[in-house]
């Protein structure tokens, strides 16, 4: 369907660029305009890669949490117990809102795991695995 | 010069507009402190748009005798939302105490602690001459001049740390965390994170976990500025006329300020590649203060500085999303990457 969302974002950014070149703007208005432009650019850059990133990130966190769950009995009970499914049978595209919601839930579980991990060699090894995962996530996060 | 617009707001020098009623409120506030002398506000203008605090410069003109007196002032007014919420009363008390020191801190004139007069908590200070340039060490000036400035900034930081805070009575204003300064600061910034976070950040959780486990003991307590940077130093030519922004100042470990100025994320502000590296800064500081800088402890404070920056971004994000600020802050990739690299290295 035209205009696509990226096309509309490109259009909005083009219009903001035109106004930004207006010499009559006050310093305050120019800064507000730049901020609005920065936000649109971020949305434009992340709009398309966001869903595949979140789907893959949820899978990676499921796997990570399942790996450290034996160290955290309380957390294990809160995980849904089902192993990550690498190939969902449903051919329908995932619901972006549900995927995003799940990502927030999994990140909350991961944060809780970090707070509760024991200070044992196994706990320290789990922290190292979490650190590696988080470093890798930053590099591919399109947002 | 100010001019009343059709909307009844007051236009200022750079075209921005003072919030409705600010001039009247400011005039009434000043009059209340001037024993009946009617003040005139001249050349009101806002500087530093869109950042954490509203800064309004103006001249106060009074005519108690035959000759009008003119005093350059700056009004610092809390925003609806900023990166950090701090206490204007505490800042006013500290600045008042520092007037008895040889530090070039601003002279605090009047305080509206709860915003009863000016709508939001505000501080009126005497305006010192000069300009702030956060990139001055890597700007247009000749290298030799920039190197001298870098040394001068380090001398200034040393003077802050050598301030006789006990003698000035600052110990009665601010708590002394003693050897536990690192953990006290970590706790304080964790509280800010808990208050402002809109969702969980495992990256920051891992940082807290590692920082808590490895916090060093402080060797001494000094006055910590906590936001020391060229952007807060007023320069007139190559002369330092004032060190600004004492809102985060507290008693603590001198390594806190040193960690802030030597953190990689701020290298462009505090160092000059090949001429004034972090190692040069530390050697200079040690020579001037006589304090030995423990490099292992300093590494902790450098990581803490990055954590603090991330928390400020979390707070800024909340302010923006709640419509209290116009700056779309968020924890950035650069800050999170630097933080995680440091904490995973520390755990290795």
């Amino acid at each position: 369907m035209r205009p696509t969302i990226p096309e509309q974002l490109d259009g909005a950014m083009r219009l903001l660029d035109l106004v930004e070149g207006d010499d009559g703007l006050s310093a305050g208005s120019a800064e507000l305009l730049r901020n609005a432009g920065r936000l649109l650019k971020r949305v434009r850059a992340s709009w398309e890669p966001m869903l595949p990133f979140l789907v893959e990130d949820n899978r990676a966190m499921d796997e990570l949490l399942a790996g450290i769950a034996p160290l955290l009995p309380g957390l294990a009970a809160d995980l849904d117990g089902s192993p990550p499914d690498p190939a969902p049978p449903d051919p329908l595209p995932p619901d972006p809102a549900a995927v995003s919601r799940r990502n927030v839930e999994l990140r909350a579980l991961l944060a809780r795991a970090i707070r509760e991990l024991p200070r044992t060699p196994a706990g320290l090894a789990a922290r190292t695995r979490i650190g590696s995962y988080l470093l890798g996530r930053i590099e591919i996060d399109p947002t | 010069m100010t001019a009343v617009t059709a909307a009844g707001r007051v236009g200022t020098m750079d075209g921005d507009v003072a919030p409705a009623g600010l001039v009247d409120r400011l005039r009434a506030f000043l009059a209340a402190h001037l024993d009946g002398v009617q003040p005139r506000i001249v050349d009101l203008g806002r500087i530093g748009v869109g950042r954490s605090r509203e800064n309004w410069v103006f001249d106060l003109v009074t005519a108690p005798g035959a000759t009008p007196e003119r005093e350059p002032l700056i009004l610092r007014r809390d925003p609806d939302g900023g990166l950090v919420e701090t206490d204007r009363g505490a800042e006013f008390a500290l600045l008042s105490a520092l007037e008895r020191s040889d530090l070039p801190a601003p002279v605090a004139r009047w305080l509206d602690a709860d915003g009863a007069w000016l709508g939001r908590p505000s501080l009126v200070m005497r305006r010192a001459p000069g300009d702030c340039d956060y990139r001055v060490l890597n700007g247009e000036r000749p290298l030799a001049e920039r190197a001298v400035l870098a040394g001068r900034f380090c001398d200034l930081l040393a003077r802050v740390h050598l301030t006789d805070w006990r003698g000035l009575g600052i110990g009665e204003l601010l708590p002394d965390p003693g050897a536990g300064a690192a953990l006290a600061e970590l706790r304080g910034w964790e509280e800010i994170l808990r208050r402002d976070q809109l969702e969980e950040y495992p990256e920051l959780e891992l940082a807290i976990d590692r920082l808590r486990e490895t916090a060093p003991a402080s060797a001494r307590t000094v006055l910590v500025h906590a936001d020391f940077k060229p952007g807060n130093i007023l320069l007139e030519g190559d002369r330092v006329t004032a060190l600004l922004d004492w809102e985060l100042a507290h008693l603590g470990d001198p390594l806190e300020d040193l960690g802030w100025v030597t953190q990689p994320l701020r290298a462009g502000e505090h160092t000059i590649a090949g001429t004034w590296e972090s190692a040069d800064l530390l050697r200079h500081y040690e020579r001037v203060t006589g304090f030995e800088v423990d490099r292992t402890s300093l590494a902790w404070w450098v990581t803490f500085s990055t954590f603090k920056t991330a928390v400020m971004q979390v707070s800024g994000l909340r302010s923006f999303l709640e419509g209290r600020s116009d700056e779309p802050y968020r924890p950035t990739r650069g800050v999170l990457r630097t933080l995680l690299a440091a904490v995973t290295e520390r755990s290795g």
Side-chain angles (χ1 to χ4, degrees), chain B residues 245-256:
Chain B
D245 276 4
W246 290 83
E247 60 186 303
L248 294 171
H250 55 268
L251 297 178
D253 191 327
L255 298 187
E256 180 177 352

Side-chain angles (χ1 to χ4, degrees), chain B residues 78-94:
Chain B
D78 279 11
D80 283 336
L83 288 185
V84 193
E85 286 177 21
T86 51
D87 180 353
R88 292 292 70 70
E91 185 181 3
F92 185 84
L94 175 62

